[in-house]
Amino acid sequence: MKTNVGSYDAGVRFLLGSAVLFFTVNGLGWWGLLGLIPVLSAACAFCPIYWLLRIDTAAREEAYERDHPHDPPMTPH
């Protein structure tokens, strides 16, 4: 299974999914367990909906990093 979720996308998915799960504990009910879906897709770096729509934020992120190289930070001597 090829990854199709970039690191920024995964971070947002994890935060939003965690927020939904938090509200599940605080009275949202069983519907709040849908928050597990974005958390799991962030952990696996794979989204089936992205796969169906042929979206790949991981490849976009890699292309951006390749096109915008940066030097490592300077260390003091």
Side-chain angles (χ1 to χ4, degrees):
M1 173 169 46
K2 185 181 179 301
T3 63
N4 63 0
V5 175
S7 62
Y8 297 112
D9 190 7
V12 170
R13 287 171 181 267
F14 180 79
L15 290 175
L16 292 176
S18 297
V20 171
L21 288 172
F22 172 76
F23 288 118
T24 299
V25 173
N26 291 322
L28 190 59
W30 289 100
W31 284 102
L33 291 178
L34 291 174
L36 285 175
I37 295 170
V39 170
L40 291 175
S41 68
C44 296
F46 179 77
C47 177
I49 295 173
Y50 276 13
W51 179 74
L52 287 173
L53 297 174
R54 298 174 193 239
I55 297 172
D56 192 348
T57 58
R60 241 180 248 165
E61 191 174 294
E62 290 171 8
Y64 181 83
E65 289 293 327
R66 184 178 55 249
D67 295 340
H68 298 86
H70 56 277
D71 295 326
M74 295 180 60
T75 57
H77 293 282

